Amino acid sequence: PAPPPAGAPEAGFVVDRRRFQVRWNGHTCDLGNGLEFAMVERLLAAGGEYVTVEQLADDVWEDSRVSRNAIQRVASTLRRLLREGGFA
């Protein structure tokens, strides 16, 4: 398919790996090159399937010993950033 015309909003949820940001319905959220961005990428890679805390620990932190609390803090920060960016 052809790209949208210049200035037209992108359809759907877009992950920009070059800028470490996500876009949705005309809203942009800068996540930075950190755990929040890595979590978004991992969740999107799951294609809507459930991702366990253990899978996030292995795939995002690359450490199965990371605490559940640490994962929950990053998820909470991610939700806040998306909400502040107009995603909610």
Side-chain angles (χ1 to χ4, degrees):
E10 297 166 298
F13 193 83
V14 177
V15 176
D16 186 334
R17 288 175 179 89
R18 193 170 53 94
R19 292 187 174 105
F20 300 105
Q21 61 183 206
V22 292
R23 294 186 292 277
W24 177 69
N25 285 347
H27 298 281
T28 299
C29 182
D30 294 307
L31 297 176
N33 185 12
L35 292 170
E36 291 79 13
F37 188 81
M39 184 177 278
V40 164
E41 285 199 306
R42 176 59 184 92
L43 293 172
L44 286 175
E49 296 293 319
Y50 181 77
V51 179
T52 67
V53 170
E54 293 78 17
Q55 288 170 314
L56 287 172
D58 288 340
D59 298 342
V60 175
W61 278 259
E62 298 178 354
D63 180 359
S64 62
R65 297 169 296 154
V66 68
S67 73
R68 178 177 292 268
N69 188 279
I71 294 170
Q72 290 171 333
R73 276 195 313 268
V74 171
S76 178
T77 300
L78 176 58
R79 284 192 302 272
R80 180 182 53 79
L81 290 170
L82 292 173
R83 191 172 42 254
E84 289 173 358
F87 286 57

